[in-house]
Amino acid sequence: KYSITTASKRLQKFAKSVKQTILEKGIEKVVVFMTGDMCNSDAILSKRVNNAGNKAVSIILAVKLLQMFILDISQECRNISVGAVAGNEGRCDNALEFFTDENLITNSPDFIILNMLKLLFENHDGIRFLDGRNNEQVVNISGQNILFSHGIHWNKGDVGKAVFQTMARYSDKG
């Protein structure tokens, strides 16, 4: 059964692995990137039942767990970037409209979680935040442009074709 306790244990285990890798490989910069759907939608009864609580409680718990995760890895790395793209769990009825309308994108649990974390870490040296106002974002990591995407447009049909179309859309941007 998935719960906030399970999420906490998984993040602790992951943080331990990340810190070990940082030490073993001499990594100086870490990017923590969240690709959406950090809280389930309340629209479907079964998802409501499986949530840790209501949406507000779920958001607060997610922020606390991610805050502890970031603080944990910051013990070994003093240069951390944090970013996120919006998922589709908090969307309105029309998913495409959700990803093209600024007001709807910023009215999602993913956007709220990222910005609450940003407020918590605003005076913390070595942790910076990337803008997260859409469902795709290109981030330069060590000279390589990496596309982070929730992948909502990849759900139907040929995934390979969808990935190729996404790459083509960004090819002129480097």
Side-chain angles (χ1 to χ4, degrees):
K1 180 178 181 330
Y2 190 78
S3 67
I4 201 69
T5 303
T6 302
S8 177
K9 288 177 182 177
R10 288 179 182 178
L11 275 175
Q12 286 174 340
K13 183 178 179 181
F14 184 53
K16 183 178 179 182
S17 173
V18 168
K19 292 191 306 183
Q20 183 177 349
T21 301
I22 289 169
L23 291 173
E24 287 174 359
K25 303 210 182 256
I27 294 171
E28 296 178 3
K29 181 178 181 181
V30 171
V31 178
V32 175
F33 211 93
M34 298 161 280
T35 57
D37 291 351
M38 290 185 271
C39 292
N40 277 338
S41 170
D42 287 338
I44 300 169
L45 181 59
S46 64
K47 288 185 177 182
R48 257 188 273 162
V49 172
N50 288 323
N51 281 345
N54 64 43
K55 190 167 289 187
V57 171
S58 296
I59 289 170
I60 292 166
L61 291 172
V63 169
K64 186 63 180 172
L65 287 179
L66 290 165
Q67 177 191 26
M68 291 186 306
F69 173 77
I70 294 166
L71 284 171
D72 196 3
I73 63 174
S74 75
Q75 294 173 6
E76 302 301 336
C77 183
R78 303 288 185 239
N79 188 353
I80 299 173
S81 297
V82 181
V85 292
N88 59 328
E89 281 291 329
R91 69 180 185 261
C92 61
D93 291 334
N94 184 338
L96 293 178
E97 181 182 349
F98 175 78
F99 287 119
T100 57
D101 185 284
E102 177 78 10
N103 289 325
L104 294 176
I105 290 171
T106 58
N107 190 24
S108 77
D110 303 316
F111 180 82
I112 295 166
I113 290 167
L114 178 68
N115 284 280
M116 287 177 68
L117 286 167
K118 189 185 291 188
L119 287 171
L120 289 170
F121 286 108
E122 68 184 347
N123 294 319
H124 197 287
D125 290 336
I127 299 175
R128 72 180 191 96
F129 284 78
L130 310 167
D131 186 36
R133 292 181 181 259
N134 51 35
N135 70 321
E136 293 179 337
Q137 186 174 358
V138 175
V139 178
N140 187 291
I141 301 172
S142 300
Q144 295 291 315
N145 288 333
I146 308 292
L147 171 65
F148 289 96
S149 174
H150 179 65
I152 183 65
H153 304 292
W154 302 356
N155 290 341
K156 297 177 182 167
D158 184 353
V159 174
K161 180 179 177 184
V163 170
F164 180 76
Q165 288 172 338
T166 302
M167 290 172 56
R169 218 175 41 247
Y170 284 93
S171 66
D172 64 334
K173 298 176 185 176

